[in-house]
Amino acid sequence: MKTKFTFLFALLFVGFTGFAQQDEECMTKLSIFHEYVKAKNYDAAYEPWKAVREKCPKFNIAIYIDGEKILEDKLDKVEGDEKVAVINDLLKLWEQRVEYFPSKTPKGEYAAQACQLQYDNYKLLNKSAEDLYACFDAAYKLDKETFTNPKSLYSYFSLMVDLYDAKKKTDAELFDKYDDVAEKVESEIENYSQKLNPLIEKEEAAGTALTGKDAQYKKYYESYLKAYDQVAGAMDKKLGDRANCENLIPLYEKDFEANKTNETWIRRAVAKMYEKECTDSPLFVKLVNAQHELNPSANSAYYLGVLKDKEGKSSEAVKFYQQAIDLETDNYKKSKIVYRVGTKFKKSGSYGQARNYFRQALKLNPSNGRPYLAIAAMYAASANNCGDTAFNKRAVYWLAAAEADKAGRADATLKKAAAQSAASYRAKAPQKSEIFSAGNAGKVISIGCWINGSVTVPNI
């Protein structure tokens, strides 16, 4: 019997050794509850699991992996005091996992998980916003690297806003925490984008479906990118008008002297004022120059270009924009700068130049579909100017729809918006009856002006 169980666990649990020295009863009961958990029979698993947890808490990490599932199942089945007891037991279980298996337990992840459980049940546990914020803040400071759960990051920031509204946090504390959490969210977006990009490139290059394994990874990375994109949007919505120019300018003016050599403070202040369109303020000029003096970088060069644009010195602005692109070595960050520059040219009506930048941004970060949508919008805006007949003018909308389709394929966060845009563009293109009347089905139509391309009329 013992040989049989030893063989079973050698297969089931990586790194499990020294069975002969372990308690026979714990080994047997662990096998029993693990099989029940695999079958999702959590009620039957509870007693043998509880026995192993109490007698042999260091025996195997499966006690904590399976125990989490067992207790979470219980949470859905109890109410009131019973639920409080299960919550407290789950919190204790996570503490024990940290104690007995520290190398296999990311501290920030599990600390945040414990805070989230309390946040989700704050009324039942009688937890205040201050209690919960302190919990998340401690978890974040304990191990920021593994505090990555999108929901917990939002809960953390949301509590800060609630405390600010209750006059328990200052403007500076609110904006600092926004910047801190937003940068963490952005770092996770970059992380998953870089993992996803090779799969997007592989899919586009081959023109065929990915392997099953690659498709699973793609779905996994896209799910996290969607979650972080939602968190970023929710944070901006929650912050709302609390961070407007009327609030930001006096705050940054007051704190400038104390922070004029603080590179992080200056960088965040510049970014926030740019984001909130406070760039007409003399303070923005002062902050940008301070940032460039402290550390000439891609970001500071970009903002100097913004200042030159405001002065009407477009050629000098372009030089700074190009300098920003050249200075940035990280492809993901470079793509964001290139996209910003493309957006500036788009707003000024320089569509050809804008498209060049958007295409460059796509090469640097293929999983960001926004440049495709921007190109689609420029094509649509040029329909009346880039065709020589009424039919050919409207044919430009097929080109716009094709770009919108690409956005949806590349970027899971834009699937719905891209599909809506593509449908809208196709509705403006010639319809079946018009194609039939013109006799253009299957023909290739050349599109002039800055577009300088062609489109094949759909067959009917």
Side-chain angles (χ1 to χ4, degrees), residues 260-277:
K260 63 184 179 183
T261 59
N262 182 334
E263 189 178 330
T264 299
W265 186 91
I266 292 287
R267 173 176 55 79
R268 288 177 170 180
V270 171
K272 183 61 66 187
M273 289 193 67
Y274 177 77
E275 177 191 333
K276 296 300 179 179
E277 299 183 354

Side-chain angles (χ1 to χ4, degrees), residues 95-325:
E95 289 175 3
Q96 289 176 314
R97 174 171 172 155
V98 172
E99 179 183 356
Y100 297 128
F101 294 91
S103 65
K104 296 181 180 180
T105 308
K107 291 181 177 60
E109 177 185 337
Y110 278 84
Q113 200 166 270
C115 298
Q116 189 65 50
L117 180 62
Q118 294 173 76
Y119 180 92
D120 292 340
N121 296 279
Y122 74 95
K123 289 183 179 178
L124 196 61
L125 299 173
N126 197 27
K127 295 286 184 179
S128 69
E130 290 165 294
D131 295 332
L132 295 166
Y133 180 80
C135 183
F136 280 113
D137 197 43
Y140 194 73
K141 290 172 180 174
L142 173 69
D143 185 9
K144 180 179 176 180
E145 190 67 25
T146 63
F147 188 127
T148 58
N149 184 276
K151 183 178 179 181
S152 294
L153 285 166
Y154 178 73
S155 297
Y156 181 31
F157 175 69
S158 179
L159 285 163
M160 166 59 83
V161 177
D162 293 343
L163 291 173
Y164 171 81
D165 289 346
K167 310 297 183 187
K168 294 177 180 178
K169 295 291 182 182
T170 65
D171 287 351
E173 287 175 316
L174 173 64
F175 300 147
D176 283 348
K177 189 50 58 183
Y178 174 87
D179 290 334
D180 196 19
V181 178
E183 285 174 10
K184 175 63 178 173
V185 170
E186 181 64 20
S187 74
E188 293 302 321
I189 292 174
E190 178 175 2
N191 172 42
Y192 284 105
S193 294
Q194 288 176 340
K195 290 177 178 178
L196 179 61
N197 283 339
L199 298 177
I200 296 292
E201 290 175 323
K202 183 177 179 180
E203 196 171 35
E204 288 295 319
T208 56
L210 296 171
T211 64
K213 186 177 180 181
D214 281 346
Q216 284 183 335
Y217 276 121
K218 181 173 182 278
K219 185 177 180 180
Y220 174 75
Y221 300 149
E222 286 179 339
S223 69
Y224 268 97
L225 283 170
K226 286 173 74 174
Y228 287 119
D229 184 67
Q230 288 170 351
V231 169
M235 283 179 60
D236 286 338
K237 186 176 180 180
K238 181 84 176 183
L239 184 63
D241 290 337
R242 296 171 185 85
N244 55 30
C245 298
E246 288 74 19
N247 290 335
L248 292 173
I249 293 171
L251 175 67
Y252 292 149
E253 282 279 17
K254 176 172 68 72
D255 294 343
F256 178 79
E257 282 301 317
N259 290 283
K260 63 184 179 183
T261 59
N262 182 334
E263 189 178 330
T264 299
W265 186 91
I266 292 287
R267 173 176 55 79
R268 288 177 170 180
V270 171
K272 183 61 66 187
M273 289 193 67
Y274 177 77
E275 177 191 333
K276 296 300 179 179
E277 299 183 354
C278 308
T279 54
D280 289 333
S281 168
L283 176 63
F284 181 73
V285 178
K286 186 162 66 170
L287 286 166
V288 169
N289 287 324
Q291 183 183 22
H292 198 66
E293 287 172 15
L294 281 172
N295 180 20
S297 64
N299 275 334
S300 66
Y302 174 79
Y303 291 123
L304 285 172
V306 172
L307 294 181
K308 292 299 179 184
D309 254 340
K310 284 194 165 295
E311 294 172 11
K313 300 176 181 177
S314 299
S315 59
E316 291 183 49
V318 171
K319 288 179 183 177
F320 277 115
Y321 293 146
Q322 191 57 51
Q323 186 182 90
I325 293 167

Side-chain angles (χ1 to χ4, degrees), residues 45 92 102 112 147 340 430 449:
K92 183 181 178 182
F147 188 127
R340 281 183 187 174
C449 69

Side-chain angles (χ1 to χ4, degrees), residues 196 199-200 203-204 210 215 218-227 229-230 366-370 372-373 401-426:
L196 179 61
L199 298 177
I200 296 292
E203 196 171 35
E204 288 295 319
L210 296 171
K218 181 173 182 278
K219 185 177 180 180
Y220 174 75
Y221 300 149
E222 286 179 339
S223 69
Y224 268 97
L225 283 170
K226 286 173 74 174
D229 184 67
Q230 288 170 351
S367 60
N368 178 15
R370 286 173 177 78
Y372 285 124
L373 289 183
E403 293 296 318
D405 287 337
K406 291 177 189 176
R409 289 197 300 271
D411 193 334
T413 69
L414 295 175
K415 281 190 185 298
K416 184 176 180 180
Q420 289 174 339
S421 293
S424 173
Y425 294 139
R426 287 193 172 93

Side-chain angles (χ1 to χ4, degrees), residues 13-14 16 30 57-67 97 101 104-105:
F13 303 114
V14 177
F16 185 78
L30 191 148
K58 300 179 184 179
F59 188 61
N60 192 282
I61 197 169
I63 296 166
Y64 303 96
I65 295 172
D66 287 353
R97 174 171 172 155
F101 294 91
K104 296 181 180 180
T105 308

